[in-house]
Amino acid sequence: MKIISVPDLSLIIQKHGMMPFFKDMIDYLRNDLKRWNDFEKCPRPAFHVPGGVIELMPIRDGDYFSFKYVNGHPGNPSQDKHTVVAVGQLSDVATGYPVMISEMTFLTAFRTAATAALATEYLSRQESLKIALIGTGAQAEFQAIAQMCVRPIKEIYYFDLDSKAMDKFSHNMGKYDVNLIPCTSVEEAVLHADIVITCTAKKAHVDVLKGVKKGTHINAMGGDCPGKTEIARNLLCQSKIFVEYLPQTLIEGEIQQLNQDKVKEHVVGELWEIICGEKKGRTQDEDITLFDCVGFAIEDFSALRLVHDLSHQYGVGQNTELLPPHSDPKDLFSLIVGSS
């Protein structure tokens, strides 16, 4: 069984290239979403604990089963800990044997940004050139770079309540060919934007984004759970809304604010339906489209598949004996204590 550590993932990205890695992540996700009905799915079980949430995210197709352990603790940065950490596993369905365990803190950031980029590709106006990024924490750079894979982004307007986070974002994005424009408010950031990305972590109903101009596409990407939202209800009601997996989004997403009749009125469909052409996305330039992203297990499945493939391509990762050796499968006891 292969183990992919943080240094291993970093080496894979160095060998493969950051932009190619993002583009392949987007393509793996697109291809898995196209075969949505091949997967056995369920809303993730979530355990709400003091200060945050701990979740398991399982899914399978005919070949692989995957799951991710992930948390969301917004107060962690005050203890110099990450808000989100994650570990994932990919297993062979035919035998149940794990084939890979991987870090998924970074992979979660990559796959979340890739999902947002895929929504942007199908729902934003093709001539979209300007992003507004609301929240410049741990996800921000991933979000910005992924958008650049699907649209010719020229300007990024950005705002965060934490000025140090804004400085960090500016420093990290300085090497990319894009004009960075720091803003003093959400309203200033979204004023000229074609694409708005909200990426906040506070566990509360907060109207971070209250309005946008007509024709805007919104990716609502902030960490989600019951009782946590970042888009004003009035803006939801002005938007054509798209989700990953409706049963889960109803519990955790922005649409938890809507009455049942409003959900039916404003939720057009799931992202896979747009990609497969079963439902229409944006139908006119004036539409306000909104992707209500809560994170779903198929995204982790795609990310683990990509890393599994690239780890073999580049010979990266440690083969570790976490499973009993193949000898007498009925004699487990002697494998640990010896046969003498």
Side-chain angles (χ1 to χ4, degrees):
M1 181 175 61
K2 184 160 284 193
I3 306 291
I4 303 296
S5 65
V6 170
D8 292 329
L9 181 62
S10 179
L11 182 57
I12 288 172
I13 294 169
Q14 289 174 32
K15 289 177 176 290
H16 201 61
M18 177 68 77
M19 296 299 277
F21 186 78
F22 260 119
K23 289 178 180 178
D24 284 347
M25 183 80 74
I26 293 167
D27 285 340
Y28 268 58
L29 180 56
R30 186 200 324 273
N31 291 334
D32 284 337
L33 287 171
K34 284 182 176 179
R35 55 190 192 91
W36 177 263
N37 291 320
D38 292 344
F39 288 88
E40 184 175 348
K41 303 169 286 288
C42 67
R44 59 188 168 207
F47 297 82
H48 297 277
V49 298
V53 62
I54 296 173
E55 302 170 332
L56 291 176
M57 301 175 66
I59 196 167
R60 77 164 187 94
D61 67 358
D63 296 318
Y64 291 115
F65 172 92
S66 76
F67 75 88
K68 181 176 74 175
Y69 164 92
V70 62
N71 79 307
H73 284 65
N76 275 3
S78 66
Q79 305 176 52
D80 294 326
K81 297 180 183 295
H82 295 287
T83 300
V84 174
V85 293
V87 178
Q89 179 173 304
L90 190 68
S91 297
D92 174 49
V93 165
T95 64
Y97 267 53
V99 297
M100 186 181 76
I101 293 176
S102 177
E103 87 76 37
M104 286 207 74
T105 306
F106 290 96
L107 275 185
T108 296
F110 276 109
R111 67 76 150 149
T112 303
T115 305
L118 201 55
T120 291
E121 179 180 341
Y122 283 88
L123 298 175
S124 73
R125 292 177 290 112
Q126 289 193 357
E127 65 273 19
S128 297
L129 303 175
K130 301 175 183 180
I131 295 175
L133 189 57
I134 311 304
T136 55
Q139 273 278 325
E141 295 85 356
F142 297 90
Q143 290 289 333
I145 296 168
Q147 296 293 310
M148 295 163 65
C149 292
V150 297
R151 289 289 183 265
I153 303 302
K154 302 299 182 186
E155 297 178 351
I156 300 178
Y157 299 80
Y158 59 102
F159 171 72
D160 196 294
L161 293 172
D162 183 353
S163 61
K164 291 183 179 179
M166 291 180 65
D167 291 342
K168 175 270 305 181
F169 176 76
S170 177
H171 173 77
N172 288 341
M173 291 298 298
K175 65 181 180 180
Y176 292 92
D177 184 21
V178 63
N179 188 22
L180 301 172
I181 305 164
C183 299
T184 59
S185 68
V186 172
E187 290 75 18
E188 180 187 352
V190 305
L191 186 60
H192 302 292
D194 305 306
I195 300 162
V196 175
I197 303 170
T198 56
C199 201
T200 63
K202 187 173 182 179
K203 191 176 180 181
H205 288 301
V206 182
D207 290 346
V208 175
L209 184 64
K210 299 178 181 178
V212 296
K213 66 180 183 180
K214 289 187 179 297
T216 300
H217 172 63
I218 304 165
N219 287 321
M221 306 304 297
D224 291 289
C225 65
K228 193 277 182 196
T229 59
E230 57 188 3
I231 308 296
R233 187 179 184 279
N234 285 342
L235 181 54
L236 290 179
C237 294
Q238 298 170 34
S239 304
K240 297 177 68 173
I241 302 172
F242 304 84
V243 302
E244 293 141 305
Y245 181 54
L246 186 58
Q248 183 168 295
T249 311
L250 284 168
I251 298 169
E252 301 180 353
E254 301 298 323
I255 61 173
Q256 66 184 274
Q257 302 178 71
L258 299 179
N259 297 329
Q260 191 65 36
D261 59 330
K262 290 294 184 181
V263 169
K264 295 178 180 179
E265 179 181 343
H266 293 289
V267 175
V268 178
E270 295 174 333
L271 185 57
W272 72 272
E273 294 176 294
I274 312 305
I275 292 172
C276 292
E278 295 192 13
K279 292 187 178 178
K280 293 183 178 180
R282 175 179 295 274
T283 57
Q284 52 189 350
D285 284 348
E286 294 75 21
D287 286 341
I288 296 174
T289 53
L290 189 150
F291 177 49
D292 186 0
C293 181
V294 300
F296 186 57
I298 198 169
E299 298 150 22
D300 305 312
F301 183 94
S302 302
L304 287 166
R305 277 206 312 116
L306 173 60
V307 169
H308 183 255
D309 290 349
L310 292 180
S311 71
H312 286 282
Q313 179 178 331
Y314 294 116
V316 175
Q318 292 80 46
N319 289 309
T320 304
E321 293 297 331
L322 288 183
L323 303 175
H326 299 285
S327 53
D328 183 352
K330 294 187 178 181
D331 187 9
L332 187 64
F333 183 76
S334 65
L335 293 177
I336 197 69
V337 302
S339 59
S340 58

